[in-house]
Amino acid sequence: MLVLPPSGVTLFMRRSRFLINTLKETPKEAVVVSHVLMMRTCMIKQLASGIYTLMPLALRSVRKIETIIREELDRAECQELSMPMVQPAELWRESGRWQAYGKELLRFKDRKENGYCLGPTHEEVITDIARREIRSYKDLPVNLYQIQNKFRDEIRPRFGLMRGREFLMKDAYSFDVDEEASSVSYQAMYDAYKRIFTRCGLNFKPVEADSGAIGGSYTHEFHVLAGSGEDEILSCNNCDYAANVERAELAAMPPAGVPADAADPVEVHTPAKKTIEDVAAFLEVAPETCVKTLVFRAGDDIVGASLMGHRELNEAVLRGRLDVAELELVTDTATFEKHGLCPGFMGPINWPKDVPLYVDEEVMGRETVVTAGNKRDYHLTGVVPARDIKPTEVLTLRSARAGDGCPRCGEGVYASYRGIEVGQVFKLGTRYSQAMNATYLDADGKEQVMVMGCYGIGVTRTMAAAIEQNHDKDGIIWPVQIAPFHVALLNLDVKDDEVNEACEAVFKGLRAAGAEVLIDDSPLRPGPKFKDADLIGLPIQVKVGSRSLKQGNIEVKVRKTGERRTVPLAGAVDEVLGLLREQGWNASPGQV
RNA sequence: CGGGGAGUAGCGCAGCCUGGUAGCGCAUCUGUUUUGGGAACAGAGGGUCGCAGGUUCAAAUCCUGUCUCCCCGACCA
């Protein structure tokens, strides 16, 4: 009875046989919309913190995403394989990450006391494969991928599938003879990713990003745009430049000179005005004219960082300059006192000589500013940075933000978006191949290190992001390409033979065309069926009830627009198929 | 790891302060009437109150310990 297309996704299911218990109320632990809706539609069940069962409805959507990924990666001449989730510690010691990875790596021992971990990613394993199997430049390039569960012992799992500990990920790894060839592989994956997320029906943006801890040189993140996204991305409104805010570049700002009429700074009594907001309000100046100064512990050293009051510090820049992995904001009184610093009133004037002071170039670009006085309850107005501030070094310490000028085209300005990172393409260079000795012989018979790239897509996170981006107050609005089914066929009178026959006719017509149908043949009243259909959010709803059937009609509703059409039973199938195609659906060959 | 909150029926919650036979709504099952945007009535099943100690004649309730989950922060290929 069940028709199995090549993807393994059945073409229909009867609600009466389908395990789906929808909830009217929201489970209390769900705080983001994708989590709420996945709980309410019985898509996921939590087993432990950050660990979920994918119920039948969710798995169907996951399979759709997987299929799109496979088709596009296969088109890009990648090869699928499957690597073990359990990995020996020895391999991770070789790459140096057994030490470096931290507690996200879930480690354990087997009965013989040998160390293992659950794979959070597979660079080590794939590099081991490559060094064993690839001998010659004639074997390259190679791009291998898998779609597999990963485990990362996140500090704080949250938001359901958005940040779980166990999750489904597609990870691909490219091996090339040199940097130039690696760039070709990188670009091929970049292009494949654009096709994948387009085919998933998602509104997304590829952005330049920070390379983080994995160790590499060049990377793009793919973000699904959604107001609830965890990442801020900046995009030029004039050219193609877009970047994660951590990485977004800023146009250089020339230092200002000393104004001809510049007076000396004036000390002003500002009792208990510690924050920029308080000081600006008290002095009746804009926060943009006040300088704030932060003190960090960087390893054993203490450093200061000054930037304009309305700006956020880009910690990555300071970390990079100081070559430290972590910066900790100093809050303890003892440290402040030791260096003669006055919390709440720290400024670049009269700065202690034993503490390096890094100043943002925007500060030096101002003719006059307001700073704290390094003295309790006092600020200085009329400070001329070019004359009065003696920085250890001037850096671009501030984070870019919306409205800042684009450094690439020089014409546009940044607009800000929220994004959910669903994919990343990454040039690894020889970070792993070097450490693990993955080499090949070139045409001259000389041993060369392979150049690698790695490419991830969070499959389950992509599904969550799709819901974050596509929903309304009533429920999910699935993009047709990754919807668990295409059509919700609602039988409103299961006891009425004519209605049953009409449903069967519509169903058969849709099935013959390759559309996937969820038939609601439950004995529920119409109201709950409508609510459930909206909640589950399949692209098209077909309602067959005795009332309109008496006139020979049925009703078709488009979930996305809410548009309802009453159509004759005879034309219903074509009507539905037309609406599905309008949304970008096309039956895969062989799926009929 | 720091701060906050919560564990009582499948889900959402009350009861705890002031100890005395565990309750409400939704869901589930049966029946009747309903039947096009989450029906009504009647009845039924379902909980060792997270776990372990302790206090007490008596503990969901008080005390101690412990586990789990959630939120904020730090972190995040």
Side-chain angles (χ1 to χ4, degrees), chain A residues 90-109:
Chain A
E90 190 178 319
L91 214 48
W92 284 71
R93 290 204 181 91
E94 262 194 80
S95 72
R97 289 208 292 184
W98 187 255
Q99 299 297 326
Y101 210 92
K103 289 190 173 174
E104 269 188 35
L105 187 64
L106 183 62
R107 300 154 212 250
F108 57 96
K109 288 180 175 174

Side-chain angles (χ1 to χ4, degrees), chain A residues 565-579:
Chain A
R565 297 180 188 180
T566 301
V567 299
L569 177 61
V573 170
D574 286 340
E575 184 77 21
V576 171
L577 294 174
L579 287 167

Side-chain angles (χ1 to χ4, degrees), chain A residues 251-272:
Chain A
M253 179 176 280
V258 181
D261 57 347
D264 285 342
V266 178
E267 201 173 71
V268 186
H269 190 54
T270 50

Side-chain angles (χ1 to χ4, degrees), chain A residues 47 327 370:
Chain A
L47 186 61
L327 284 176
V370 174

